[in-house]
Amino acid sequence: GKVAIVTGAGSVLPGIGNGKATAIVFAREGARVIAVDYNLKAAEETKKMVDQEGGECITFQADVSQAKDCQKMVETCLQKFGRIDILHNNVGIGQWGGVVETEEETWDKVMAVNVKSMFLTCKYVIPQMLKQGGGSITNIASVGGIRFTLANCAYASSKSAIIALTRDIALEYAAKGIRCNVILPGLMKTPQAEYYNKDAWAGGNIEEMWRRRDAMSPMGRQGEGWDTANAALFLNSDEAKYITGTTLMVDGGISQTIRPW
């Protein structure tokens, strides 16, 4: 019966990404979901899958790096469902390159999409959660925010910033009934990973890219969007009521290795 906003709830390619899986899993557990994505068609595909399973979901098109879109998103959710219990921030983009290779415009775009978006969604959702007496927020960062992978300074810096933002929100609102946690996926076999990594990893050879990524994981395989979704399900559940400010690895153990990716 909870109401959940899931940003980045679509997938850029066919398949199940972290946000899409999370929206579906939340709905399976009885949440009423608003699937938010810049690509409305992708969000509608997620809604279709929720509908097929008998869940309840509406879609909303938004660029969550823009304040007006975030405000409208909150207004739409309240008009439809009357409350907001869960905010799951999954929006994110990647860009390879070190500090010399990365253009200023690229840096600004990555920071806006990956970090500013979460600042803005929290900015406009938290007041409603305070009115209700509480709520739960999960932010998706990356293992790349705590360790070196390949040269991708903008992406890595943005993911580190998400961890700090999560901690700040968690401690500021801990006594007011709002929890905030961050999930750090590792190597995941998702449409987003394929979209951003195929050229950097294996010159466009998709199967070779997946093989290399599987081999790098201590488990011998990558994770899936469902793994991230199930972690988010727990953190947003009542069973996690004493958990806030935590950083949860969903990475098959790769963050504990010493070799670079």
Side-chain angles (χ1 to χ4, degrees):
K2 293 182 178 179
V3 175
I5 294 175
V6 179
T7 71
S11 294
V12 293
L13 294 172
I16 303 293
N18 295 327
K20 190 173 189 176
T22 300
I24 294 168
V25 166
F26 282 1
R28 283 176 181 169
E29 293 297 318
R32 293 169 288 169
V33 176
I34 174 169
V36 181
D37 205 280
Y38 184 75
N39 185 328
L40 184 59
K41 184 177 179 180
E44 289 173 343
E45 176 62 27
T46 300
K47 172 179 165 51
K48 180 180 178 181
M49 295 182 70
V50 171
D51 290 345
Q52 289 172 345
E53 296 188 6
E56 186 173 0
C57 178
I58 65 171
T59 60
F60 186 78
Q61 184 177 22
D63 176 354
V64 286
S65 69
Q66 301 296 316
K68 60 180 176 56
D69 282 16
C70 293
Q71 290 175 293
K72 185 63 177 176
M73 175 189 75
V74 170
E75 292 170 2
T76 300
C77 187
L78 293 176
Q79 288 169 1
K80 176 65 176 179
F81 297 124
R83 61 186 294 112
I84 303 170
D85 300 293
I86 297 167
L87 170 62
H88 180 81
N89 281 313
N90 189 79
V91 169
I93 59 173
Q95 181 65 53
W96 296 106
V99 294
V100 174
E101 297 82 15
T102 299
E103 299 292 337
E104 180 180 1
E105 294 78 9
T106 299
W107 175 275
D108 289 344
K109 182 177 180 180
V110 171
M111 287 298 174
V113 174
N114 293 7
V115 187
K116 184 182 177 184
S117 67
M118 298 191 186
F119 156 71
L120 288 172
T121 57
C122 290
K123 178 180 179 64
Y124 295 110
V125 166
I126 286 175
Q128 176 61 30
M129 288 183 171
L130 289 172
K131 290 179 183 178
Q132 298 169 187
S136 177
I137 300 168
T138 43
N139 298 323
I140 300 299
S142 167
V143 170
I146 63 168
R147 58 161 292 169
F148 180 74
T149 55
L150 298 174
N152 56 352
C153 67
Y155 177 82
S157 297
S158 72
K159 296 303 183 177
S160 294
I162 292 168
I163 297 170
L165 176 65
T166 300
R167 181 180 62 240
D168 195 72
I169 292 169
L171 295 180
E172 182 176 358
Y173 294 100
K176 299 177 181 178
I178 298 175
R179 300 185 297 107
C180 189
N181 295 291
V182 60
I183 297 171
L184 273 60
L187 291 170
M188 312 300 284
K189 193 171 185 179
T190 63
Q192 188 89 337
E194 178 179 334
Y195 181 80
Y196 284 111
N197 296 314
K198 62 181 185 297
D199 295 327
W201 282 73
N205 187 327
I206 305 298
E207 292 306 313
E208 176 61 16
M209 178 193 72
W210 291 139
R211 187 197 68 78
R212 291 184 189 180
R213 287 166 64 93
D214 282 338
M216 296 181 80
S217 172
M219 287 189 171
R221 60 177 176 80
Q222 297 165 82
E224 301 174 327
W226 303 114
D227 297 311
T228 302
N230 287 323
L233 177 65
F234 168 67
L235 288 175
N236 287 295
S237 71
D238 293 339
E239 284 77 9
K241 62 184 174 60
Y242 198 58
I243 300 175
T244 193
T246 197
T247 300
L248 178 60
M249 307 292 182
V250 181
D251 70 345
I254 200 168
S255 59
Q256 305 305 312
T257 64
I258 60 173
R259 64 183 181 183
W261 293 8

